[in-house]
Amino acid sequence: MTGEQGRDAPDTPVSYGGQALIEGVMIRSPRALAAAARRPDGEIIVSARRLGGLLTGPQRRIPVLRGVLALWEMIALGIRALSWSSAVAEGRVDGSGELDRVGARAWLSALASLLVATAIVFLLPVAMTAWLATRLPAPWLAVAAEGLLRVVIVVAYVWVLGRSEEVRRLFEYHGAEHMAIATLERGRELTVPSIRRESREHPRCGTSFLLAVAIIAGLVFLPFGAPPLPWWLASRVVLIPLVAAVAYEAIRFAGAHPQAPLVRWAFWGNLALQRLTTREPDDEQIQVAVAALERARDEELSARRGAGS
């Protein structure tokens, strides 16, 4: 998922984020969500909905808390959009369909995936390195080994996922999403030739968030040392919201200062990892990204006018 800065009116910054879908792209603006996906017959279907409540309220401006809300948003909106795009890709949706209709099966599948990811990224490194706590001169060395292993697992996990043909298609749409938003950010016309001039990597990508979580987790967990194994495992789960919040703030800062030497040095690994999670899109995939982005812009401008009146 990407967070970028675009401009729809002079001196009026609008933040756009994105996510690759099944044969499609989702674009999120401050007040709206739009998704576009291609049907088997080649038609691009676009759907949008306005956002409210916790996703747009004043709490989104509170540091740390907004990171927890961003994590929830990534999960909740991602499930809705993925479920919708799956239906479109299978030819089960005519017209716009309903972006916010998600069955219990989709939620259960997402919950299962989240639990597996938590076990792999947060608990597996503990299980693999806990025995070092009694064999090293200082317990913090075992925690440091845990953090290093966590980063290795994240990179390996992403690399393995990319071997799947289906995931490779997803990564191509991921690249299209990045390039389209970057084009808007630079104030260029949203055409295929213009979009192809942009890089597939961006520091505020969801991939960056994932790697930042892995790295920052090591820093957050380090002061807690190496407690008994049950507490060690429990602390990793309990502290996930804090880790996510700190990682979000770091990514947010990096996105606001992409040219700063310190930021470029600190986040070079995030950009390098995106070479695994993005692929060069074809023209049709770029067209889908443009359809989603243009609809999100229209919905955002409409919502802003409504709020102003």
Side-chain angles (χ1 to χ4, degrees):
M1 192 173 189
T2 309
E4 313 274 356
Q5 293 291 330
R7 286 185 179 272
D8 285 320
D11 302 320
T12 307
V14 179
S15 177
Y16 291 95
Q19 177 180 324
L21 304 176
I22 299 172
E23 295 301 322
V25 169
M26 177 185 79
I27 299 292
R28 195 257 201 232
S29 68
R31 298 174 177 83
L33 173 73
R38 195 178 291 276
R39 282 172 44 88
D41 61 8
E43 180 185 3
I44 298 176
I45 305 296
V46 185
S47 184
R49 64 189 297 262
R50 297 284 178 86
L51 301 175
L54 290 175
L55 299 182
T56 59
Q59 60 277 353
R60 286 304 300 264
R61 294 190 291 272
I62 302 175
V64 181
L65 176 59
R66 62 192 175 193
V68 178
L69 294 175
L71 180 62
W72 164 248
E73 171 190 301
M74 186 184 302
I75 296 171
L77 298 183
I79 292 172
R80 289 188 175 98
L82 282 168
S83 178
W84 176 84
S85 67
S86 176
V88 173
E90 294 173 3
R92 294 186 284 112
V93 173
D94 294 313
S96 65
E98 291 290 340
L99 189 58
D100 55 354
R101 288 185 179 177
V102 180
R105 185 175 180 180
W107 282 104
L108 289 174
S109 176
L111 178 60
S113 298
L114 185 62
L115 292 175
V116 170
T118 299
I120 292 175
V121 175
F122 286 94
L123 302 184
L124 181 60
V126 174
M128 295 178 68
T129 58
W131 61 276
L132 291 173
T134 60
R135 292 169 173 81
L136 294 174
W140 68 266
L141 291 173
V143 181
E146 172 204 342
L148 179 60
L149 181 59
R150 180 172 292 110
V151 173
V152 172
I153 286 175
V154 167
V155 175
Y157 180 69
V158 169
W159 182 84
V160 171
L161 280 179
R163 302 306 94 192
S164 163
E165 182 62 32
E166 184 176 278
V167 175
R168 285 181 65 87
R169 290 282 297 173
L170 197 70
F171 286 174
E172 289 168 1
Y173 278 104
H174 191 193
E177 169 244 315
H178 279 196
M179 295 160 68
I181 295 180
T183 302
L184 177 65
E185 181 183 46
R186 294 180 184 274
R188 295 172 179 163
E189 188 178 1
L190 291 175
T191 62
V192 171
S194 180
I195 290 171
R196 286 212 173 277
R197 295 166 60 186
E198 298 298 331
S199 168
R200 304 196 314 265
E201 294 87 32
H202 191 280
R204 293 181 65 185
C205 169
T207 301
S208 298
F209 180 75
L210 183 61
L211 186 59
V213 164
I215 295 173
I216 290 173
L219 300 177
V220 171
F221 297 153
L222 200 58
F224 292 89
L229 185 58
W231 289 104
W232 197 343
L233 292 169
S235 68
R236 297 321 186 237
V237 176
V238 171
L239 291 174
I240 287 176
L242 175 60
V243 170
V246 175
Y248 177 83
E249 296 299 329
I251 295 296
R252 184 183 177 92
F253 180 83
H257 306 85
Q259 301 305 320
L262 180 60
V263 169
R264 295 177 67 86
W265 175 82
F267 284 86
W268 71 267
N270 292 324
L271 297 178
L273 185 61
Q274 289 179 51
R275 294 169 191 163
L276 296 179
T277 64
T278 61
R279 297 287 188 274
E280 194 67 27
D282 60 31
D283 290 355
E284 292 188 346
Q285 290 168 325
I286 292 176
Q287 291 164 6
V288 172
V290 170
L293 183 53
E294 289 183 336
R295 180 63 180 274
R297 292 179 69 193
D298 291 343
E299 292 291 334
E300 177 66 21
L301 287 173
S302 177
R304 288 161 73 94
R305 293 191 191 102
S309 63

